[in-house]
Amino acid sequence: MFNPRVAISAVLIAALSTIPATAKDHDKDRDHAKDVEVVNTPKVNVANTANVNVVNTPSVNVSTLPAVQLAPGATVGIAGTAAIQIANSPTDPVPVRDAATLTRTPFQTELTVEVKDSERMGSGFVAVPAGKRLVIEYASVISVANIGQALVFELVTQSKTGTQPPVSSRFFLPTTLTSPAPVGGDLDQYVAGQVVKLFSDPGTSLELRAERGALNSGNAIAIFSISGYFEDVK
């Protein structure tokens, strides 16, 4: 005898048995991470300061030389034995400058000093600009005076200390009588010259001084020449 309920049950069982196994497996794999392959060089925009983790040490290619900016105080490390190459050749070297050496401007001058009749001393001055220090590396002088006057030549520099008035320092040049006055003559010639290292501070003056002994009659002429440089004062 035909039973309708039994027939319906048989149909349901047959239908369930035809469901693909892949659909069942798909439901099971929802809880497992799967590898994703990205092709065609896609663009990835990371917004809102998201964190991106890259695992398994992949290779990263950077093209078109992008600009890299480092925050102040950032540290950059180079791993391994990295080689750094400078493109400049020996005929076109990289310009370098010793940061400890101040900017220098060469300087030289000639100054005539006159010691007038009945006076014992005459002076000339070289002004030192503000912001510069005068460094003297060589000084020389040639002079003529009446017989027996024994001229002495001095360089007087000035240094500043805080708000105090400048302090003067006297430096003497060794002098030689090169041309004594001939018989019937009335003039002697003196010369002096020496390598020196003297300093005169910004805003002061270098004094070039010619001085004679007890005999002070007639005029004496001294021509000073100095060379060195001005350097910037920090």
Side-chain angles (χ1 to χ4, degrees), residues 81-185:
T81 307
I84 300 176
Q85 181 177 357
I86 298 177
N88 294 68
S89 64
T91 58
D92 185 22
V94 176
V96 295
R97 184 177 70 85
D98 184 359
T101 301
L102 300 176
T103 302
R104 296 176 176 178
T105 304
F107 172 79
Q108 61 184 17
T109 190
E110 181 179 281
L111 188 64
T112 299
V113 174
E114 181 180 4
V115 184
K116 295 180 179 181
D117 183 32
S118 74
E119 295 182 358
R120 293 191 57 185
M121 185 183 69
S123 295
F125 297 88
V126 177
V128 182
K132 302 285 186 179
R133 178 185 294 113
L134 174 59
V135 181
I136 307 164
E137 296 182 306
Y138 189 82
S140 67
V141 61
I142 184 170
S143 177
V144 290
N146 285 348
I147 297 175
Q149 295 197 353
L151 293 177
V152 176
F153 307 110
E154 307 169 39
L155 282 74
V156 184
T157 64
Q158 292 185 317
S159 58
K160 288 184 175 180
T161 304
T163 58
Q164 301 298 320
V167 177
S168 297
S169 300
R170 300 168 64 191
F171 300 92
F172 299 87
L173 297 177
T175 305
T176 302
L177 175 62
T178 59
S179 299
V183 177

